[in-house]
Amino acid sequence: MASGSCLWRPLTLSKAQLAAQVKQVRNYSAPTNGSIPAAKKKYVPTSGTYPKGFSVSGVIVGVKPNNTTKPDLAFVTSDRPCAAAAVFTKNKFQAAPVTFSRDLLKNKKNRGIQSVIVNSGCANAVTGKGGLEDAAKMAHEADRCVGNEGSTIVMSTGVIGQRLPINKILRNVPTAHRSLGTSHEDWLTCAKAICTTDTFPKLISRTFTLPSSPSTTYSIAGMTKGAGMIHPNMATLLGIIATDAPISADVLPVALKYAVDRSFNSITIDGDTSTNDTVALLANGAAGGKEITSTSEEDFAAFQSVLTDFSAELAQLIVRDGEGATKFVTIRVVESASEEAARKIASTIARSPLVKTALYGKDANWGRILCATGYSLISEPGQEINEVSEIVPEKTSVSFIPTDGSAELKLLVNGEPEMVDEARAAEILEFEDLEILVRLGTGDKQATYWTCDYSHEYITINGDYRT
């Protein structure tokens, strides 16, 4: 347009055009038809080996009124009472099913648990006495179906602050019971039923042996859900793990806590700890063998190792499905004076918005990593400052570790910046998986955290979650 001929007139849009502008496009969330994104299909198992005596199902209830196609009520049950343990969120606003299930396990002394009933679509959190009554009703109906009163753990996940459509759920618990099965498809459908913003069901299974009975094959299977509001303690996540190994109720909680600290409590997506987080472990002993009754037994150490590795793999699937995530990032802090400090530093780097956005932008901005390291151990105002120096700038090094097995890319060595090959850095940051290694040079302890990047998509998903 020629100078001096500026012409302006208002732009008039139709209602349909305005609606199209408001509608937000989601590039990394599940397709609207409910199918699994192509890049995530590799994480969904096509077969599995599942523990003896356990049956599972997933059925459609329509907890959210607009849900008519996705299973949203999961049922897991054993053909006999189990030893059980669970780890719960430390959020002070704990959901009704958390309170109910914790009290149940305490009163039962981790014995005689037979089932887990889970709904997605509504968290039953911050719902007062009515919410507790609803959780108890869900458990009672499941108990009635399996014929064992006081034997069901309850979990819920979804929107906070809304009451469950409890009558609709109760009418469908018998349907879920009639649908119980033991096939891989049954387990996969059950795993789908606990999902909310997840783009794929998270399910794994393994076999293992124990030193006292090397000829006996045991199985362990687990499902989890979570894609956002993920941060310890617990890491919105739910997890159900079942095994046919004979583990007593006295030692099962010890094994689970150890495993969770090194798995579900070592992941973060957005730094938010949910009101509903629960990971439960059931052991029915159906495969036989000598019962593990002491933490000093060789069998206990072996089982704890299996459970820890299994839990870490399950927890990592949550990070791989982080809301809007394009990268899976391992943060490893080594040569620390204490494991506590290493965990705190790794956690701080893992939840730094500036680190996470740089990774999304494929920017080798190691200064952000160093900055997060530097403030990770600073005391809050009014708290006593720890005088022990866990971080010495002159001893600190930072590197990118490529996932293709090639040499690490050193960014900082003993406090001195390296001449970074930006082209090589760009190549490394193109990979879906990335490891950031921080060497503190102050000791021999270490810790690992798993996280993901922040994309525009995370804002999109959480900006209209309720609607």
Side-chain angles (χ1 to χ4, degrees):
M1 185 176 293
S3 175
S5 62
C6 181
L7 178 64
W8 179 90
R9 63 182 178 184
L11 177 64
T12 303
L13 297 177
S14 68
K15 289 184 178 180
Q17 287 173 319
L18 286 170
Q21 284 195 347
V22 172
K23 183 178 176 62
Q24 301 183 69
V25 178
R26 297 182 175 182
N27 298 309
Y28 302 109
S29 54
T32 54
N33 61 5
S35 63
I36 298 169
K40 304 292 180 71
K41 288 182 179 179
K42 60 189 174 186
Y43 302 119
V44 181
T46 56
S47 63
T49 305
Y50 299 101
K52 297 179 177 67
F54 284 97
S55 300
V56 300
S57 68
V59 298
I60 301 171
V61 169
V63 174
K64 282 188 172 182
N66 61 350
N67 174 41
T68 58
T69 58
K70 173 193 171 298
D72 53 1
L73 184 68
F75 203 158
V76 177
T77 190
S78 169
D79 62 3
R80 67 201 73 187
C82 306
V87 178
F88 301 97
T89 180
K90 291 186 178 181
N91 192 306
K92 293 299 182 182
F93 289 93
Q94 297 186 347
V98 169
T99 300
F100 175 87
S101 298
R102 177 187 283 113
D103 290 347
L104 175 70
L105 287 170
K106 181 179 179 181
N107 293 334
K108 300 275 289 189
K109 297 181 179 178
N110 297 314
R111 293 169 169 80
I113 302 300
Q114 198 159 342
S115 307
V116 181
I117 192 81
V118 190
N119 77 271
S120 60
C122 178
N124 191 12
V126 198
T127 46
K129 292 180 180 179
L132 280 171
E133 293 170 358
D134 290 345
K137 288 176 182 177
M138 285 177 63
H140 176 73
E141 186 61 22
D143 291 340
R144 189 187 66 78
C145 289
V146 300
N148 184 0
E149 186 64 32
S151 68
T152 300
I153 291 171
V154 181
M155 301 181 189
S156 297
T157 182
V159 178
I160 295 170
Q162 297 180 1
R163 289 287 297 274
L164 290 170
I166 189 62
N167 291 330
K168 188 186 292 188
I169 291 173
L170 296 179
R171 285 196 302 270
N172 281 278
V173 172
T175 304
H177 184 255
R178 290 192 297 270
S179 302
L180 289 168
T182 60
S183 71
H184 172 69
E185 287 305 316
D186 291 320
W187 280 87
L188 196 58
T189 301
C190 187
K192 291 176 182 177
I194 68 175
C195 293
T196 50
T197 60
D198 308 61
T199 67
F200 67 93
K202 300 161 183 65
L203 170 71
I204 58 174
S205 60
R206 297 287 182 272
T207 58
F208 62 97
T209 60
L210 295 172
S212 67
S213 49
S215 61
T216 301
T217 299
Y218 297 104
S219 297
I220 185 170
M223 63 188 76
T224 189
K225 65 82 51 182
M229 201 179 280
I230 304 294
H231 188 70
N233 281 296
M234 289 273 302
T236 292
L237 88 81
L238 301 179
I240 306 166
I241 301 173
T243 182
D244 52 19
I247 322 293
S248 79
D250 295 322
V251 301
L252 201 64
V254 178
L256 181 62
K257 185 180 185 306
Y258 181 92
V260 164
D261 282 346
R262 290 155 181 80
S263 57
F264 294 101
N265 273 341
S266 292
I267 62 175
T268 184
I269 287 176
D270 47 22
D272 275 332
T273 298
S274 169
T275 54
N276 289 59
D277 302 333
T278 304
V279 173
L281 169 63
L282 276 63
N284 66 6
K290 177 179 174 291
E291 185 180 30
I292 302 173
T293 59
S294 170
T295 57
S296 62
E297 294 179 39
E298 188 179 9
D299 277 359
F300 177 81
F303 174 74
Q304 183 170 260
S305 178
V306 168
L307 179 63
T308 301
D309 291 344
F310 182 86
S311 298
E313 186 175 347
L314 201 56
Q316 287 171 29
L317 290 178
I318 293 174
V319 177
R320 291 192 179 280
D321 199 23
E323 290 174 339
T326 68
K327 292 190 184 303
F328 176 86
V329 186
T330 299
I331 312 289
R332 198 154 57 94
V333 177
V334 301
E335 298 178 11
S336 174
S338 69
E339 183 179 345
E340 180 183 13
R343 284 182 61 83
K344 185 67 180 295
I345 294 166
S347 171
T348 303
I349 297 169
R351 69 176 186 270
S352 165
L354 291 179
V355 171
K356 293 159 78 72
T357 50
L359 293 173
Y360 171 65
K362 302 173 185 177
D363 179 9
N365 194 339
W366 57 266
R368 294 182 177 183
I369 301 169
L370 201 65
C371 180
T373 301
Y375 69 68
S376 60
L377 303 182
I378 296 175
S379 300
E380 293 294 325
Q383 294 181 357
E384 184 178 349
I385 297 176
N386 183 358
E387 296 297 333
V388 177
S389 181
E390 301 275 4
I391 301 172
V392 179
E394 294 77 16
K395 295 182 179 180
T396 303
S397 302
V398 178
S399 296
F400 285 158
I401 307 297
T403 54
D404 62 355
S406 59
E408 69 179 284
L409 179 64
K410 296 180 180 180
L411 308 171
L412 183 80
V413 177
N414 294 326
E416 294 291 333
E418 295 288 287
M419 290 294 292
V420 178
D421 183 342
E422 294 291 346
R424 177 63 181 139
E427 288 178 359
I428 294 172
L429 291 171
E430 283 290 336
F431 293 127
E432 179 182 341
D433 287 25
L434 171 70
E435 179 179 323
I436 295 173
L437 176 65
V438 178
R439 296 183 178 93
L440 297 178
T442 57
D444 60 359
K445 300 297 189 294
Q446 61 180 314
T448 301
Y449 251 71
W450 297 284
T451 190
C452 57
D453 58 346
Y454 266 161
S455 71
H456 304 88
E457 185 76 358
Y458 178 83
I459 306 299
T460 301
I461 292 170
N462 285 283
D464 65 355
Y465 177 64
R466 290 202 309 160
T467 55

